[in-house]
């Protein structure tokens, strides 16, 4: 069973925002933006596997990440160029906004 | 009972994105950005009242709009300056992204 990834021109803005509407997923986007591709297992320590699977799916189906099998593990990559092509400037502003301190 | 509006420095990014993750709410933001304050009743024709109430609440609690009683009706206003102060550049890029055609 292949994992579903929307084509660049099929990425929907409401799905992007839904993917970004959770602090854990926003954090994953920030980490991937800073680091490049990352094995799934090295993100979000201590979070149950079913929760992780859900977050990867929402990010993947929203068009924010690619999730690809590399050997026995999945690797996550931010779709930076695809997002820039589809919604110019959006990702940069999201990353800047995510760096603003949250209320205590 | 007063309606809850987060203070500017209490607006949470994840709540902003949650508010924008629905096409109707995104449309309301676009209309308010183009028009200034609008009476609730003149937006989203043909949508059930309970659905409207829900959308206004999510937009209001997310910090995107002010909903204020004016006479016997509520008026909605986009919190453009507050959003700009809290997350500079975000609203402009959201409005530009929302103007990109959706996939058919």
């Amino acid at each position: 069973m292949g994992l579903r990834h929307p084509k660049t021109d099929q990425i929907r803005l409401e799905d992007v925002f839904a993917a970004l509407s959770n602090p854990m997923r926003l954090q994953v986007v920030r980490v991937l933006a800073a680091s490049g591709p990352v094995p799934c297992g090295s993100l979000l320590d201590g979070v149950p596997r079913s929760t992780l699977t859900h977050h990867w799916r929402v990010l993947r189906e929203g068009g924010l990440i690619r999730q690809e099998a590399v050997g026995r593990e999945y690797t996550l990559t931010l779709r930076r160029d695809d997002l820039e092509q589809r919604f110019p400037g959006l990702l940069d502003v999201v990353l800047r906004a995510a760096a603003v301190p949250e209320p205590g």
Side-chain angles (χ1 to χ4, degrees), chain A:
Chain A
M1 185 187 79
L3 296 175
R4 194 181 82 85
H5 293 85
K7 291 182 189 165
T8 300
D9 64 0
Q10 299 289 314
I11 296 174
R12 287 184 175 274
L13 190 59
E14 67 245 40
D15 296 339
V16 172
F17 289 138
L20 296 172
S21 67
N22 172 280
M24 278 190 204
R25 291 195 296 266
L26 200 53
Q27 178 61 17
V28 168
V29 168
R30 296 183 70 185
V31 168
L32 294 179
S35 71
V38 165
C40 283
S42 70
L43 286 160
L44 300 180
D45 256 12
V47 176
R49 191 182 181 82
S50 62
T51 304
L52 290 181
T53 304
H54 168 72
H55 287 322
W56 306 153
R57 184 175 58 75
V58 176
L59 286 166
R60 189 179 71 238
E61 295 187 352
L64 282 104
I65 65 169
R66 276 194 192 285
Q67 183 178 8
E68 290 164 311
V70 176
R72 297 177 58 178
E73 197 168 28
Y74 281 102
T75 291
L76 305 184
T77 312
L78 187 62
R79 294 179 64 180
R80 188 188 276 274
D81 293 347
D82 294 343
L83 288 164
E84 186 59 26
Q85 184 183 325
R86 181 85 176 105
F87 300 118
L90 182 63
L91 184 64
D92 283 346
V93 129
V94 165
L95 292 170
R96 279 205 300 279
V100 171
E102 287 284 299

